[in-house]
Amino acid sequence: VQLQASGGGLVQAGGSLRLSCTASGISFSINAVGWYRQAPGKQRDLVALINTAGALTYADSVKGRFTISRDNAKNTMYLQMVSLKPEDTAVYYCNTVGRALQTGRFGNYWGQGTQVTVSS
């Protein structure tokens, strides 16, 4: 199972970015998928989640600014971020929990992380 995240970068406050995460070896369409972030010296926190029923959950700090979505045909998930703030600066990780397609092994799988830096 591999999750490949991309789309991070440096942006000014008020700007936008879209993160992508493409999976191989596991299906996003039937599993919960989410984005987490970790700022220096802090724990990794949930940003947004799509559960197995398709319900969306957002951290209070990003509600109204971030949108999580997925494209089942591309086995890719996205995080559209607008009105970015300096406090959004962190490494963003994509995540899914489910069974690997080839082995059937149930696991908690993470992407490698992509840096988002918002300057003031």
PDB file of all heavy atoms in Angstrom, residues 37-50:
ATOM      1  N   ARG A  37      -2.618  17.060  10.071  1.00  0.00           N
ATOM      2  CA  ARG A  37      -1.485  17.968   9.976  1.00  0.00           C
ATOM      3  C   ARG A  37      -0.721  17.998  11.293  1.00  0.00           C
ATOM      4  O   ARG A  37      -1.288  17.766  12.366  1.00  0.00           O
ATOM      5  CB  ARG A  37      -1.930  19.367   9.572  1.00  0.00           C
ATOM      6  CG  ARG A  37      -2.767  20.118  10.605  1.00  0.00           C
ATOM      7  CD  ARG A  37      -3.262  21.433  10.013  1.00  0.00           C
ATOM      8  NE  ARG A  37      -4.054  22.203  10.963  1.00  0.00           N
ATOM      9  CZ  ARG A  37      -4.698  23.326  10.654  1.00  0.00           C
ATOM     10  NH1 ARG A  37      -4.648  23.817   9.403  1.00  0.00           N
ATOM     11  NH2 ARG A  37      -5.389  23.963  11.577  1.00  0.00           N
ATOM     12  N   GLN A  38       0.549  18.300  11.155  1.00  0.00           N
ATOM     13  CA  GLN A  38       1.412  18.359  12.318  1.00  0.00           C
ATOM     14  C   GLN A  38       2.341  19.554  12.177  1.00  0.00           C
ATOM     15  O   GLN A  38       3.160  19.608  11.255  1.00  0.00           O
ATOM     16  CB  GLN A  38       2.224  17.065  12.466  1.00  0.00           C
ATOM     17  CG  GLN A  38       3.025  16.988  13.741  1.00  0.00           C
ATOM     18  CD  GLN A  38       3.571  15.592  13.980  1.00  0.00           C
ATOM     19  OE1 GLN A  38       3.669  14.760  13.065  1.00  0.00           O
ATOM     20  NE2 GLN A  38       3.907  15.297  15.220  1.00  0.00           N
ATOM     21  N   ALA A  39       2.185  20.476  13.086  1.00  0.00           N
ATOM     22  CA  ALA A  39       3.056  21.645  13.138  1.00  0.00           C
ATOM     23  C   ALA A  39       4.258  21.314  14.023  1.00  0.00           C
ATOM     24  O   ALA A  39       4.195  20.412  14.862  1.00  0.00           O
ATOM     25  CB  ALA A  39       2.297  22.839  13.695  1.00  0.00           C
ATOM     26  N   PRO A  40       5.367  22.043  13.864  1.00  0.00           N
ATOM     27  CA  PRO A  40       6.562  21.759  14.666  1.00  0.00           C
ATOM     28  C   PRO A  40       6.267  21.797  16.161  1.00  0.00           C
ATOM     29  O   PRO A  40       5.653  22.743  16.665  1.00  0.00           O
ATOM     30  CB  PRO A  40       7.515  22.880  14.256  1.00  0.00           C
ATOM     31  CG  PRO A  40       7.093  23.255  12.884  1.00  0.00           C
ATOM     32  CD  PRO A  40       5.606  23.114  12.875  1.00  0.00           C
ATOM     33  N   GLY A  41       6.684  20.753  16.854  1.00  0.00           N
ATOM     34  CA  GLY A  41       6.509  20.701  18.291  1.00  0.00           C
ATOM     35  C   GLY A  41       5.114  20.367  18.761  1.00  0.00           C
ATOM     36  O   GLY A  41       4.841  20.392  19.967  1.00  0.00           O
ATOM     37  N   LYS A  42       4.231  20.038  17.824  1.00  0.00           N
ATOM     38  CA  LYS A  42       2.841  19.736  18.189  1.00  0.00           C
ATOM     39  C   LYS A  42       2.468  18.326  17.733  1.00  0.00           C
ATOM     40  O   LYS A  42       3.141  17.716  16.922  1.00  0.00           O
ATOM     41  CB  LYS A  42       1.900  20.771  17.574  1.00  0.00           C
ATOM     42  CG  LYS A  42       2.120  22.178  18.101  1.00  0.00           C
ATOM     43  CD  LYS A  42       1.042  23.117  17.631  1.00  0.00           C
ATOM     44  CE  LYS A  42       1.212  24.503  18.228  1.00  0.00           C
ATOM     45  NZ  LYS A  42       0.140  25.430  17.794  1.00  0.00           N
ATOM     46  N   GLN A  43       1.354  17.845  18.238  1.00  0.00           N
ATOM     47  CA  GLN A  43       0.885  16.523  17.853  1.00  0.00           C
ATOM     48  C   GLN A  43       0.207  16.585  16.492  1.00  0.00           C
ATOM     49  O   GLN A  43      -0.147  17.662  16.014  1.00  0.00           O
ATOM     50  CB  GLN A  43      -0.087  15.985  18.897  1.00  0.00           C
ATOM     51  CG  GLN A  43      -1.391  16.753  18.994  1.00  0.00           C
ATOM     52  CD  GLN A  43      -2.317  16.188  20.067  1.00  0.00           C
ATOM     53  OE1 GLN A  43      -1.896  15.465  20.967  1.00  0.00           O
ATOM     54  NE2 GLN A  43      -3.597  16.504  19.967  1.00  0.00           N
ATOM     55  N   ARG A  44       0.039  15.431  15.903  1.00  0.00           N
ATOM     56  CA  ARG A  44      -0.657  15.337  14.624  1.00  0.00           C
ATOM     57  C   ARG A  44      -2.163  15.359  14.883  1.00  0.00           C
ATOM     58  O   ARG A  44      -2.691  14.574  15.670  1.00  0.00           O
ATOM     59  CB  ARG A  44      -0.269  14.035  13.901  1.00  0.00           C
ATOM     60  CG  ARG A  44      -0.762  13.946  12.488  1.00  0.00           C
ATOM     61  CD  ARG A  44      -0.226  12.696  11.786  1.00  0.00           C
ATOM     62  NE  ARG A  44       1.228  12.696  11.709  1.00  0.00           N
ATOM     63  CZ  ARG A  44       1.929  11.763  11.054  1.00  0.00           C
ATOM     64  NH1 ARG A  44       1.291  10.777  10.419  1.00  0.00           N
ATOM     65  NH2 ARG A  44       3.237  11.819  11.035  1.00  0.00           N
ATOM     66  N   ASP A  45      -2.841  16.272  14.226  1.00  0.00           N
ATOM     67  CA  ASP A  45      -4.268  16.477  14.459  1.00  0.00           C
ATOM     68  C   ASP A  45      -5.083  16.239  13.189  1.00  0.00           C
ATOM     69  O   ASP A  45      -4.618  16.509  12.076  1.00  0.00           O
ATOM     70  CB  ASP A  45      -4.543  17.912  14.934  1.00  0.00           C
ATOM     71  CG  ASP A  45      -4.015  18.186  16.329  1.00  0.00           C
ATOM     72  OD1 ASP A  45      -4.037  17.254  17.159  1.00  0.00           O
ATOM     73  OD2 ASP A  45      -3.581  19.325  16.573  1.00  0.00           O
ATOM     74  N   LEU A  46      -6.312  15.810  13.385  1.00  0.00           N
ATOM     75  CA  LEU A  46      -7.229  15.639  12.269  1.00  0.00           C
ATOM     76  C   LEU A  46      -7.611  16.992  11.686  1.00  0.00           C
ATOM     77  O   LEU A  46      -7.939  17.928  12.415  1.00  0.00           O
ATOM     78  CB  LEU A  46      -8.492  14.919  12.742  1.00  0.00           C
ATOM     79  CG  LEU A  46      -9.599  14.780  11.699  1.00  0.00           C
ATOM     80  CD1 LEU A  46      -9.187  13.819  10.595  1.00  0.00           C
ATOM     81  CD2 LEU A  46     -10.902  14.313  12.358  1.00  0.00           C
ATOM     82  N   VAL A  47      -7.601  17.073  10.364  1.00  0.00           N
ATOM     83  CA  VAL A  47      -8.051  18.260   9.663  1.00  0.00           C
ATOM     84  C   VAL A  47      -9.429  18.013   9.051  1.00  0.00           C
ATOM     85  O   VAL A  47     -10.353  18.798   9.235  1.00  0.00           O
ATOM     86  CB  VAL A  47      -7.062  18.661   8.554  1.00  0.00           C
ATOM     87  CG1 VAL A  47      -7.598  19.837   7.743  1.00  0.00           C
ATOM     88  CG2 VAL A  47      -5.696  18.983   9.144  1.00  0.00           C
ATOM     89  N   ALA A  48      -9.559  16.917   8.317  1.00  0.00           N
ATOM     90  CA  ALA A  48     -10.818  16.612   7.640  1.00  0.00           C
ATOM     91  C   ALA A  48     -10.892  15.122   7.365  1.00  0.00           C
ATOM     92  O   ALA A  48      -9.864  14.473   7.160  1.00  0.00           O
ATOM     93  CB  ALA A  48     -10.936  17.388   6.332  1.00  0.00           C
ATOM     94  N   LEU A  49     -12.127  14.605   7.335  1.00  0.00           N
ATOM     95  CA  LEU A  49     -12.326  13.164   7.229  1.00  0.00           C
ATOM     96  C   LEU A  49     -13.579  12.869   6.428  1.00  0.00           C
ATOM     97  O   LEU A  49     -14.582  13.589   6.552  1.00  0.00           O
ATOM     98  CB  LEU A  49     -12.454  12.564   8.635  1.00  0.00           C
ATOM     99  CG  LEU A  49     -12.765  11.078   8.753  1.00  0.00           C
ATOM    100  CD1 LEU A  49     -11.507  10.267   8.467  1.00  0.00           C
ATOM    101  CD2 LEU A  49     -13.285  10.745  10.143  1.00  0.00           C
ATOM    102  N   ILE A  50     -13.501  11.834   5.600  1.00  0.00           N
ATOM    103  CA  ILE A  50     -14.697  11.243   4.998  1.00  0.00           C
ATOM    104  C   ILE A  50     -14.814   9.842   5.572  1.00  0.00           C
ATOM    105  O   ILE A  50     -13.914   9.017   5.372  1.00  0.00           O
ATOM    106  CB  ILE A  50     -14.606  11.166   3.464  1.00  0.00           C
ATOM    107  CG1 ILE A  50     -14.327  12.538   2.852  1.00  0.00           C
ATOM    108  CG2 ILE A  50     -15.904  10.593   2.885  1.00  0.00           C
ATOM    109  CD1 ILE A  50     -14.103  12.509   1.340  1.00  0.00           C
TER     110      ILE A  50
END
